DNA sequence: TGCAGTTTTTAGAATTATTCTAAACTCCTT
DNA sequence: AAGGAGTTTAGAATAATTCTAAAAACTGCA
């Protein structure tokens, strides 16, 4: 019995190939930082600082490229909470966020306990893509 | 009987003074564009383009300054929907938004018909500031 | 109405987050 | 191993926003 988390494996090269991405050293290094443990909310700068501290540094341009590719491949989603502050979120399931100001921390909360009733129908000619709820809290 | 909308006046100098801001020509011009009609969602660039088309152009720096001051004074609120895209909203009451991608249009919908139940309590040491709901729709 | 003092405006430089460019490098198939 | 497509990278470029500091305008008071 392999030591894996339910539903995910630590074989990042395979997971990247399955997502249609070549498992390069850089992408595997970033995938490990992102997907080896609990769900995370990272900024490009933050992830770059982390990977720079490792034995296998990656350029900032590659961090941006990779985060965008992971998002486009559905491995991440992007959460915009403040002007010029965009987080990449390893939790791609339905959930919502607490945003703690002024620290800028972002915390998940499950959407299955939350009920949103009475949403109006989308404007003519559009269809629903996603509902984001951001609960802004202050210290 | 004066020709005013319920609850607001078109005497922008007075409204600015009431908000603690000197009624300069630039601020009055921008206030007229923002508050003379229905509620609006504007970007700094968009508002700058509008005022440039008038007889009384205003520098882009002043548009930014003024939008930030109006927001700080409670005359506007700021809505962030996409990376690098922040809207200033003349509707400062409780309400939520449709965001139409890829156009970038933002539409209000009233929050009084919407019920959000089951929100978890804010993290220890924080208290609720605001709940933003963004309904993302696509053409 | 004229001044003085303060606030505001402005052009342009600076900053920040992000994307682009194009040359060097790596991965994968044969 | 070679070839070619895909990827990485440093550095330049772009876009949104803020900062700087000098000029202009507002306001209260003479
Ligand atoms: Mn992006
Ligand atoms: Mn701002
Ligand atoms: Zn999340
Ligand atoms: Zn609105």
């Amino acid at each position: 019995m392999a030591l894996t988390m339910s539903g995910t494996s630590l074989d990042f090269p395979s997971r990247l190939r399955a997502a249609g991405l070549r498992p390069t050293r850089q992408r595997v290094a970033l995938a490990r930082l992102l997907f080896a443990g609990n769900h995370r909310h990272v900024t490009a700068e933050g992830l770059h600082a982390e990977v720079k501290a490792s034995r296998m540094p990656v350029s900032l341009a590659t961090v941006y490229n990779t985060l965008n590719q992971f998002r486009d491949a559905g491995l991440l989603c992007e959460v915009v909470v403040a002007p010029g502050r965009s987080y990449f979120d390893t939790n791609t399931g339905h959930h919502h966020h607490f945003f703690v100001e002024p620290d800028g921390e972002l915390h998940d909360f499950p959407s299955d306990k939350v009920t949103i009733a009475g949403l109006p129908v989308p404007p003519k000619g559009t269809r629903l893509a996603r509902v984001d709820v951001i609960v802004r809290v202050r210290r």
Side-chain angles (χ1 to χ4, degrees), chain A:
Chain A
M1 177 178 65
L3 267 118
T4 61
M5 292 180 298
S6 60
T8 63
S9 100
L10 294 173
D11 178 2
F12 295 109
S14 299
R15 286 173 68 182
L16 291 172
R17 266 184 233 106
L21 295 166
R22 282 196 188 177
T24 64
R25 272 178 292 161
Q26 291 87 339
R27 297 210 270 228
V28 171
L30 294 172
R32 228 190 310 269
L33 289 173
L34 290 167
F35 305 118
N38 295 112
H39 279 312
R40 306 197 54 188
H41 301 92
V42 303
T43 61
E45 283 289 350
L47 186 62
H48 183 236
E50 275 184 60
V51 80
K52 225 170 14 180
S54 80
R55 203 71 61 77
M56 163 71 217
V58 176
S59 78
L60 181 59
T62 297
V63 172
Y64 273 104
N65 289 341
T66 302
L67 287 172
N68 286 330
Q69 289 153 358
F70 284 9
R71 179 204 53 215
D72 294 346
L75 302 172
L76 293 175
C77 65
E78 194 170 359
V79 186
V80 185
V81 284
R85 185 163 223 159
S86 134
Y87 287 86
F88 288 87
D89 188 347
T90 62
N91 185 350
T92 56
H94 283 156
H95 70 287
H96 300 304
H97 294 100
F98 280 120
F99 182 59
V100 183
E101 288 174 299
D103 332 14
E105 289 167 53
L106 196 60
H107 301 288
D108 282 350
F109 64 81
S111 62
D112 52 0
K113 289 278 171 54
V114 180
T115 331
I116 306 175
L119 283 184
V121 293
K124 204 65 178 283
T126 68
R127 64 170 173 299
L128 197 125
R130 181 171 123 177
V131 179
D132 286 336
V133 177
I134 297 178
V135 177
R136 293 169 192 277
V137 301
R138 298 201 65 92
R139 293 227 164 275

